[in-house]
């Protein structure tokens, strides 16, 4: 076991993938000599060379377009989008080419491309640097969309994403990059949690809290606070957003009878709306209250001095818990 930050766990996961497969490439803005603005790729260019860890121009559409061409020639590119809000110039390549090519070719062409996106707020940055664009990509058929929330998952999930023959959009909670936890770097892939499976990270009996990425830690803190009031909250880390592990979500909600969904993105038309609809469809006769959602307001991301008012926190999660129990 090693104690790693989430950023270091991602680094070690990519390093292991590059050691195992010479076709794995890292590419993006400042990922080489600088090691990325968050130092997630630190040291990889020094150890694997400029032909495998490639500093690209500031051109997100070009990064993804080039990765598609490389994947067509048998490589497994891992692209870093430097900040979440920078992904939109690449949306054309991701949505109209990367997601569509396997079906367009009737399965004859596979595009094993990973698009890494540091996501969310909480670091004192401005708009375009603190976005949560996951709903754009979960709505796009042909993409796998996943989100890690802790170092152990970061280490295994980035390797699973690289091994996957489907294109993967990989969200990384940037404000959790520096948080540490134990990571078993010696575990064999057969012992890793399945790539598309949700995980119950806290057992409970009274209410299910569904979250992913940066909000998992916040929800665990809320569950600990709720326990002091005699309420037992079960926290489920979704991990995979597309496909969604409906079976595990349903199992939890049928047990508890109440559910709230938490994410940083705006509530209106956010990914939580899909989750809430699925829970309502599959658990209607088990629910003691409506499924409630907690997220950001429908405004552009605010200046850094105001982001604490924008981001969901422990109190907003507990307020939703109170409302759920009021029915």
């Amino acid at each position: 076991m090693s104690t790693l930050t989430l950023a270091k766990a991602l680094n070690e996961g990519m390093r292991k993938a590059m050691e195992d497969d010479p076709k794995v490439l890292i590419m993006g803005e400042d990922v080489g000599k600088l090691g990325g603005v968050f130092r997630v790729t630190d040291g990889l260019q020094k150890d694997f060379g400029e032909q495998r860890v490639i500093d690209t121009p500031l051109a997100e559409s070009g990064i993804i377009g080039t990765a598609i061409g490389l994947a067509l020639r048998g490589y497994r590119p891992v692209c870093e989008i430097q900040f979440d809000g920078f992904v939109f110039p690449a949306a054309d390549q991701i949505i109209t080419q990367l997601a569509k090519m396997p079906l367009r070719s009737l399965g004859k062409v596979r595009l094993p491309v990973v698009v890494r996106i540091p996501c969310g707020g909480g670091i004192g940055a401005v708009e375009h640097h603190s976005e949560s664009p996951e709903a754009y990509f979960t709505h796009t058929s042909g993409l796998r969309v996943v989100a890690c929330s802790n170092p152990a998952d970061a280490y295994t999930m980035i390797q699973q994403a690289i091994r996957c023959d489907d294109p993967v959009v990989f969200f990384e909670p940037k404000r959790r990059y520096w948080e540490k936890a134990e990571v078993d770097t010696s575990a064999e892939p057969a012992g890793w949690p399945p790539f598309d499976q949700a995980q119950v990270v806290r057992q409970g009996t009274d209410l299910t809290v569904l979250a992913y990425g940066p909000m998992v830690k916040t929800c665990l803190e809320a569950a600990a606070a709720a326990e002091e009031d005699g309420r037992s909250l079960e926290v489920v880390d979704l991990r995979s957003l597309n496909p969604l592990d409906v079976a595990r979500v349903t199992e939890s909600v049928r047990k508890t009878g109440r559910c709230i969904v938490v994410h940083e993105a705006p509530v209106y038309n956010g990914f939580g709306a899909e989750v809430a609809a699925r829970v309502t469809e599959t658990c209607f006769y088990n629910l003691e209250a409506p499924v409630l959602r907690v997220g950001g307001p429908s405004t552009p991301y605010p200046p850094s001095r105001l982001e604490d008012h924008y981001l969901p926190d422990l109190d907003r999660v507990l307020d939703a818990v109170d409302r759920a129990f009021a029915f």
Side-chain angles (χ1 to χ4, degrees):
M1 299 288 283
S2 303
T3 301
L4 302 176
T5 64
L6 192 149
K8 184 62 175 177
L10 288 166
N11 180 288
E12 290 296 320
M14 287 187 283
R15 177 181 296 277
K16 184 66 167 62
M18 295 183 77
E19 292 171 349
D20 291 345
D21 186 351
K23 293 291 188 179
V24 175
L25 308 175
I26 309 293
M27 53 194 300
E29 299 161 7
D30 298 319
V31 298
K33 292 180 180 179
L34 182 65
V37 293
F38 296 105
R39 304 300 187 267
V40 175
T41 55
D42 189 38
L44 296 181
Q45 189 181 77
K46 178 175 68 71
D47 294 338
F48 294 96
E50 295 182 2
Q51 297 300 309
R52 295 190 64 194
V53 182
I54 304 161
D55 280 317
T56 67
L58 305 183
E60 286 77 14
S61 182
I63 294 170
I64 304 302
T66 301
I68 291 171
L70 286 165
L72 288 169
R73 296 301 298 269
Y75 291 93
R76 292 182 175 270
V78 182
C79 306
E80 178 180 295
I81 302 297
Q82 194 171 74
F83 282 93
D84 33 44
F86 298 175
V87 74
F88 299 110
D92 177 34
Q93 292 290 339
I94 295 172
I95 294 170
T96 66
Q97 305 299 336
L98 185 61
K100 303 294 191 295
M101 186 67 76
L103 182 60
R104 185 183 298 154
S105 66
L106 300 180
K108 295 178 182 178
V109 172
R110 312 301 297 181
L111 293 179
V113 176
V114 179
V115 182
R116 294 180 40 241
I117 305 179
C119 68
I123 64 167
V126 296
E127 60 174 289
H128 309 313
H129 295 72
S130 302
E131 312 293 330
S132 299
E134 61 271 15
Y136 293 100
F137 300 109
T138 58
H139 185 69
T140 302
S141 300
L143 299 174
R144 288 180 179 264
V145 182
V146 300
C148 62
S149 67
N150 60 76
D153 273 352
Y155 178 74
T156 59
M157 289 175 70
I158 191 62
Q159 294 183 69
Q160 290 169 316
I162 294 169
R163 294 180 180 200
C164 183
D165 286 333
D166 300 321
V168 179
V169 178
F170 194 98
F171 284 103
E172 304 166 6
K174 67 170 81 75
R175 66 164 145 158
R176 309 299 184 198
Y177 271 149
W178 303 278
E179 296 181 2
K180 296 181 178 181
E182 292 293 311
V183 178
D184 186 359
T185 57
S186 63
E188 293 297 320
W192 296 347
F195 190 40
D196 55 1
Q197 186 179 90
Q199 295 290 309
V200 177
V201 292
R202 181 187 174 104
Q203 295 281 347
T205 57
D206 298 334
L207 182 146
T208 296
V209 184
L210 305 175
Y212 54 89
M215 284 290 99
V216 173
K217 180 181 179 182
T218 302
C219 291
L220 286 170
E221 293 170 349
E227 187 176 31
E228 298 178 5
D229 294 329
R231 292 171 173 169
S232 175
L233 273 55
E234 180 153 293
V235 181
V236 179
D237 183 352
L238 296 178
R239 300 173 76 248
S240 175
L241 310 187
N242 190 12
L244 177 67
D245 187 357
V246 177
R248 182 152 293 194
V249 168
T250 298
E251 179 184 12
S252 177
V253 177
R254 285 179 175 168
K255 178 178 73 172
T256 66
R258 293 178 174 85
C259 179
I260 63 175
V261 188
V262 185
H263 54 56
E264 280 193 19
V267 169
Y268 184 75
N269 273 346
F271 180 68
E274 171 64 24
V275 178
R278 290 294 186 99
V279 170
T280 302
E281 290 172 1
T282 57
C283 304
F284 185 77
Y285 291 106
N286 305 98
L287 290 170
E288 300 290 340
V291 181
L292 301 178
R293 292 174 289 156
V294 179
S298 294
T299 66
Y301 201 86
S304 58
R305 290 184 180 181
L306 298 176
E307 71 175 349
D308 286 344
H309 299 284
Y310 180 93
L311 293 170
D313 58 8
L314 180 146
D315 288 336
R316 279 162 64 182
V317 175
L318 291 178
D319 177 69
V321 172
D322 289 341
R323 288 187 286 128
F325 276 95
F327 283 93

